[in-house]
Amino acid sequence: MEILHGLVVITFVHLLAAASPGPDFVLVTQQTLNHGKRIGLLCSLGIALGLSIHIVYSAFGLAAVIANSAEALWAIKLLGGAYLLYLGIKGLRSRPAAVTANIGDAPVVAPRSALRTIGTGFLCNALNPKAPIYFVSLFTIVLSPSMPLYQIAIYGAWIMLIQLGWFSAVALLLSTPPIHRAFKRFSHWIDRVLGLAMVALGIKVLTTRV
């Protein structure tokens, strides 16, 4: 019964966290509108896998150390902020796609590597400087020193599934034909706006005291 209660608590808290606007949401939206459903889903998978980094160090008690270490948080802020700026600048440099008579499930663009796309999502989540504080708070609610490793693994896997399910739903929604057609004509402008949002997030990460 204890593990079921923990899963309910984690589901409620993490769904709220996943649904709140942030770098992951901006990235999935940008990638789906620009490259279609497949890329959006792969990016969602990368984001979910990125959570494994935070789950592992939280399970070993490092989240509390990182959350209370100014030097460690500053290093994470530099890496995370710089990566967000990199992604944002790429979006700001977006250009209109070539006009084509065929409108399929995704825009006609150069094929993207699945591994590269997953890696982009992975790094976006893994380098989030707010994650250590969030995970030390989340795990404090449900974890105890006597909790067996298998239970921690179940909680971690469930968090990753929630993350994957939420962002996959976002990607599937944005790639539906009516919505995709509505955004297709202005996709490069949307990409630039989302790139600007990513740059703003990167600047906020670098300038805000954690």
Side-chain angles (χ1 to χ4, degrees):
M1 199 65 181
E2 178 186 349
I3 191 169
L4 291 176
H5 178 264
L7 289 173
V8 170
V9 172
I10 285 176
T11 300
F12 178 75
V13 174
H14 196 65
L15 269 177
L16 291 177
S20 62
D24 293 343
F25 185 85
V26 172
L27 182 65
V28 170
T29 300
Q30 181 188 58
Q31 293 297 304
T32 303
L33 292 178
N34 259 347
H35 305 289
K37 178 171 62 180
R38 174 179 173 273
I39 295 300
L41 292 174
L42 287 172
C43 188
S44 301
L45 176 59
I47 288 171
L49 292 175
L51 285 176
S52 63
I53 300 296
H54 309 299
I55 292 167
V56 168
Y57 67 61
S58 296
F60 285 96
L62 296 180
V65 175
I66 295 174
N68 291 285
S69 170
E71 292 79 9
L73 277 178
W74 178 242
I76 296 173
K77 281 180 63 176
L78 283 177
L79 289 172
Y83 189 64
L84 291 177
L85 288 175
Y86 164 74
L87 293 175
I89 291 171
K90 284 183 65 178
L92 288 173
R93 297 176 63 187
S94 175
R95 297 185 178 184
V99 179
T100 171
N102 299 319
I103 301 179
D105 174 61
V108 178
V109 293
R112 291 173 61 86
S113 162
L115 189 60
R116 179 183 174 187
T117 302
I118 293 173
T120 298
F122 181 91
L123 288 175
C124 184
N125 185 275
L127 295 178
N128 186 346
K130 293 184 178 180
I133 298 173
Y134 166 71
F135 273 90
V136 74
S137 302
L138 178 63
F139 274 67
T140 298
I141 298 173
V142 297
L143 293 186
S144 66
S146 60
M147 184 173 292
L149 185 60
Y150 81 87
Q151 194 166 334
I152 296 175
I154 290 173
Y155 285 153
W158 184 242
I159 290 171
M160 293 172 69
L161 284 174
I162 292 172
Q163 193 89 345
L164 177 61
W166 168 256
F167 284 111
S168 293
V170 171
L172 289 172
L173 176 64
L174 294 176
S175 61
T176 54
I179 294 178
H180 191 75
R181 282 195 297 267
F183 282 102
K184 182 177 174 65
R185 183 178 176 186
F186 304 102
S187 62
H188 63 291
W189 288 111
I190 294 170
D191 200 32
R192 291 174 185 176
V193 170
L194 293 174
L196 183 62
M198 195 74 82
V199 168
L201 286 169
I203 293 174
K204 183 178 180 180
V205 165
L206 292 174
T207 58
T208 301
R209 295 175 62 91
V210 180

